[in-house]
Amino acid sequence: MIKKAKFILLILLTFFLLSTFLTTSFAAESTSSISIYSPSCILIEASTGKVLYEKNANQVRYPASTTKIMTAILVLENCELTDIATVSRNAIHSIPPDYVTCRIKEGEQLTIEQLLNVLLIPSANDAAIVLAEHISGSVSKFSDLMNEKAKEIGCKNTHFVNPNGIHNKNHTSTAYDLALIGQYAMKNSTFRKIVQKTQYTLPATNKYSKEDRTFKTTNDLLIKNTSKAKSNYYYPNATGIKTGYTGEAGNCLVSAAKKDNMEVIAVVLGADFTKEGLSEKFLDSIALLDYAFDNYAIRTLQEKDSVLQEVEVSGATKETQNLKVLVQDNIKTLVAKNVTIENLEPEISLDKLKAPISSGTVVGKITYHLDGKDYSSELIAQNDVLPSSTFSILLRIGLIFVTLYLLYTLLVPRKKNKSKRRSSKNSKAHKTSRHYKTGGKHLCTLMNNFE
């Protein structure tokens, strides 16, 4: 019994060691090497939304001017860039001192495109009010629209009360939710174009005759070191997005960067400055972006229009019976760079293939299962598959039999009806004959009486 117990223990230990060393993992190496100052942050891959790193990502905090990402989303979805908005008195006088404005004037008329540029580049709070009133008539109604959109995007802990992020204890969000909002916004080409700009100048208008209202971006990740400008935080692969700051919120940044066909989004909230006076929001963002590009990559599992396999189709001509099956779409996935996926086997399901088949017809599906997620594409026919003559003859014979059967089922009830009618006529004739016979007997009797 002791030997048997030792043997079983040895087997269990062997399985444990094998599972420990041979199990495939698609995660990157430990994230303990990242040093993040900010109390809350998150890093996601933009195309999949996969979380690559997080720290208190669902902690409810003040978003400050990163709020304006949502404002821009609603503006782009509800307005034309050429629409004209008029600056109200409220837009000018509702902004507290020390908050950024773009020095617009009451009654001034500006295009939606102009207002979007000053909303996102210098973070103008007055422009946010103008846009909100233009769309919804009031800030409160626009805030309702913002909250509806947040839920639609998938935000779980976000509540907006204004379009610019001016501090309000009820105006809150999380790093996770802001990453979703940033991910959604970056799908819009106009938004992407604006948040990559480093400066913008408002033109002369009906209320302002000069063109001296030039504003620089607040996102130092975009600013190159030149003779005219200097930045300690320039990030060559940066593609946006939006900074934010209030005394209560601290320094906030929703950033994005793209490299080697992979785009990532990082969010840091509540950052401060280091002892050396460096901005933690930029240092943290760079650390997160570097971590993503150092450890992850987009890998292609199958390329669009690649030939997956060649199959022989029954009932086809000799010339067309070999059907090439193509992958309809690119199948790409995000994996850690230290992971090998070349030996990953897909699940392939083909339909029952019979001639004829037209080029481009969906004939099956291919799916890869990776980290609990499915990556798939439909399979299509590359070429036409024509039916053979034998198959055509059999098909015609089959059609003839079907036609005859249908005719048979239609005609049989009619024959039965005729039989019934004939039976009815015979019955009537029989009754008539009996009547005549009976009548004849009476007639003979009458005639005998006369004799």
Side-chain angles (χ1 to χ4, degrees), residues 36-292:
I36 300 296
Y37 297 102
S38 305
S40 177
C41 73
I42 195 170
L43 173 69
I44 69 168
E45 195 277 320
S47 66
T48 62
K50 183 175 180 178
V51 177
L52 308 182
Y53 179 84
E54 62 178 310
K55 174 184 176 183
N56 300 322
N58 291 299
Q59 185 180 81
V60 177
R61 304 187 66 86
Y62 301 122
S65 284
T66 60
T67 299
K68 290 167 184 155
I69 301 172
M70 175 60 81
T71 300
I73 289 171
L74 291 173
V75 171
L76 288 166
E77 292 183 349
N78 289 276
C79 303
E80 296 295 330
L81 294 177
T82 53
D83 290 349
I84 303 295
T86 303
V87 180
S88 70
R89 178 178 178 80
N90 180 58
I92 303 300
H93 296 284
S94 64
I95 309 302
D98 300 327
Y99 277 84
V100 175
T101 68
C102 58
R103 308 194 302 274
I104 50 179
K105 305 296 180 182
E106 183 179 348
E108 187 171 3
Q109 293 182 325
L110 297 156
T111 67
I112 297 301
E113 185 175 14
Q114 290 162 356
L115 288 165
L116 276 173
N117 273 275
V118 291
L119 173 80
L120 295 170
I121 298 171
S123 196
N125 292 287
D126 45 359
I129 302 295
V130 177
L131 290 166
E133 292 177 340
H134 177 76
I135 293 172
S136 300
S138 70
V139 166
S140 62
K141 288 183 179 178
F142 186 78
S143 298
D144 291 338
L145 201 62
M146 294 172 76
N147 291 321
E148 288 174 13
K149 193 66 181 182
K151 289 180 181 178
E152 179 188 320
I153 290 173
C155 298
K156 299 176 181 178
N157 298 289
T158 292
H159 183 257
F160 295 123
V161 298
N162 60 57
N164 45 27
I166 288 176
H167 179 68
N168 184 301
K169 65 179 182 178
N170 296 316
H171 188 91
T172 55
S173 188
T174 65
Y176 175 81
D177 286 358
L178 288 169
L180 293 183
I181 294 170
Q183 178 192 28
Y184 184 92
M186 289 296 278
K187 294 176 183 177
N188 185 289
S189 59
T190 301
F191 181 90
R192 291 182 69 91
K193 182 180 178 182
I194 293 174
V195 296
Q196 291 184 66
K197 293 180 181 179
T198 56
Q199 71 175 40
Y200 181 75
T201 300
L202 278 174
T205 67
N206 63 317
K207 291 288 183 178
Y208 199 91
S209 59
K210 300 178 182 179
E211 294 186 6
D212 60 352
R213 292 179 293 183
T214 297
F215 308 97
K216 294 181 180 180
T217 182
T218 58
N219 187 357
D220 283 5
L221 297 180
L222 301 171
I223 299 174
K224 295 180 180 180
N225 284 309
T226 64
S227 57
K228 295 182 179 180
K230 186 176 181 181
S231 171
N232 295 315
Y233 314 107
Y234 175 62
Y235 198 78
N237 299 304
T239 55
I241 304 177
K242 186 73 190 74
T243 62
Y245 171 78
T246 66
E248 297 81 2
N251 286 292
C252 308
L253 176 60
V254 179
S255 60
K258 188 173 184 179
K259 182 180 180 182
D260 298 330
N261 294 319
M262 181 175 79
E263 187 165 46
V264 292
I265 294 171
V267 180
V268 294
L269 300 178
D272 204 338
F273 289 88
T274 65
K275 294 178 180 179
E276 296 76 22
L278 296 175
S279 173
E280 293 175 353
K281 72 180 176 185
F282 291 120
L283 295 177
D284 285 349
S285 297
I286 291 170
L288 289 167
L289 298 174
D290 279 345
Y291 171 77

Side-chain angles (χ1 to χ4, degrees), residues 346-374:
E347 177 185 325
I348 300 171
S349 59
L350 285 176
D351 301 336
K352 291 183 179 179
L353 303 177
K354 292 183 180 180
I357 299 172
S358 299
S359 171
T361 301
V362 174
V363 295
K365 188 176 183 180
I366 179 172
T367 304
Y368 287 88
H369 305 287
L370 197 61
D371 276 350
K373 188 173 181 179
D374 293 343

